Amino acid sequence: VDIRDSGQVKEARSYFDFVNLTASYWEHRYTEKSGHEEKKLNWSILPYSQNPFSSVFYMRVFKWTVGKEYIFRVADDEKNIFFKATALEKTVLSTDIGDFPAIKLKAEVISRGNLSKAKDFFMWISDDDRKYVLRIEVKLPIGALVSEVIQIKKGYSEAKKNNEEITFIQDEKSDSKESSKDNTKESP
């Protein structure tokens, strides 16, 4: 994660070792007030734990129906917590790139700590087999965070299934002989 805002510049990395059930976190932060600060953490995690960022995408694997609730583990800042999401309604979400059939989810952190400071956490995922993350709204004590899809690039399998044009981006390191070959492979 790289963060740049008016008060700080921050870079952070986390690594989950699911074989040994441990997590490592490293963060470097710079503020004009405090200068350079570094933080390193190591802790034990529970099986199938997600980090806060992957948990948003992890919610895509569930078979959502209105009223359905899922709870899963999230590990962050030396804590092992539970994250709960409930499907509230099916709706059509209007965005700058179009309208999408969507499922609106309400998410909650069942724990103490920084993540539990979020008052309302809503997420819209597309109501199809891809379950694209379309919108996220989080109300925080200091304001709100809103994220909305601005572009969707369909994978090869989906574009092929829909008979859509498929554009391949050539790696700059490929030579001209490679670029003339059909290197397309269908992903699983």
Side-chain angles (χ1 to χ4, degrees), residues 5 13 18 54 67 72 150 154 157 159 182 186 188:
D5 66 30
R13 303 283 182 259
F18 292 106
S54 69
F72 57 92
I150 58 170
K154 295 180 179 179
S157 296
D182 181 11
E186 196 160 330

Side-chain angles (χ1 to χ4, degrees), residues 83-141:
F83 196 83
K84 176 174 82 170
T86 306
L88 298 179
E89 65 179 344
K90 289 190 176 205
T91 186
V92 174
L93 181 68
S94 294
T95 71
D96 289 346
I97 63 169
D99 295 339
F100 295 90
I103 300 173
K104 182 179 179 181
L105 309 174
K106 178 172 176 58
E108 301 174 59
V109 175
I110 307 171
S111 175
R112 301 182 316 270
N114 289 340
L115 290 174
S116 63
K117 291 179 183 174
K119 300 298 179 200
D120 289 313
F121 183 160
F122 296 99
M123 183 171 142
W124 287 257
I125 58 173
S126 62
D127 188 12
D128 58 16
D129 62 332
R130 294 302 212 185
K131 298 182 190 144
Y132 293 116
V133 177
L134 301 171
R135 184 175 177 87
I136 299 172
E137 291 180 9
V138 182
K139 290 183 184 171
L140 301 165

Side-chain angles (χ1 to χ4, degrees), residues 146-160:
V146 177
S147 175
E148 187 171 282
V149 65
I150 58 170
Q151 181 180 26
I152 293 176
K153 291 186 178 183
K154 295 180 179 179
Y156 177 79
S157 296
E158 184 177 3
K160 186 176 177 182

Side-chain angles (χ1 to χ4, degrees), residues 6-7 11 22 24 33 64 70 96 106 129 175 177:
S6 60
E11 181 180 0
T22 60
S24 301
K33 182 179 177 183
W64 291 102
Y70 289 99
D96 289 346
K106 178 172 176 58
D129 62 332
D175 62 22
K177 289 181 184 177

Side-chain angles (χ1 to χ4, degrees), residues 5-73:
D5 66 30
S6 60
Q8 69 177 331
V9 176
K10 179 171 144 178
E11 181 180 0
R13 303 283 182 259
S14 67
Y15 174 74
F16 283 31
D17 179 344
F18 292 106
V19 173
N20 296 307
L21 295 176
T22 60
S24 301
Y25 177 83
W26 170 85
E27 173 184 294
H28 179 259
R29 186 170 107 160
Y30 175 81
T31 63
E32 288 186 19
K33 182 179 177 183
S34 302
H36 291 277
E37 299 174 323
E38 187 173 75
K39 179 179 181 180
K40 292 182 180 181
L41 303 172
N42 292 291
W43 73 98
S44 295
I45 60 173
L46 299 169
Y48 308 105
S49 293
Q50 303 296 307
N51 69 45
F53 298 103
S54 69
S55 64
V56 170
F57 294 95
Y58 186 66
M59 285 195 280
R60 296 173 61 205
V61 304
F62 301 117
K63 295 185 186 321
W64 291 102
T65 57
V66 174
K68 184 72 175 174
E69 180 179 279
Y70 289 99
I71 298 175
F72 57 92
R73 296 177 177 133

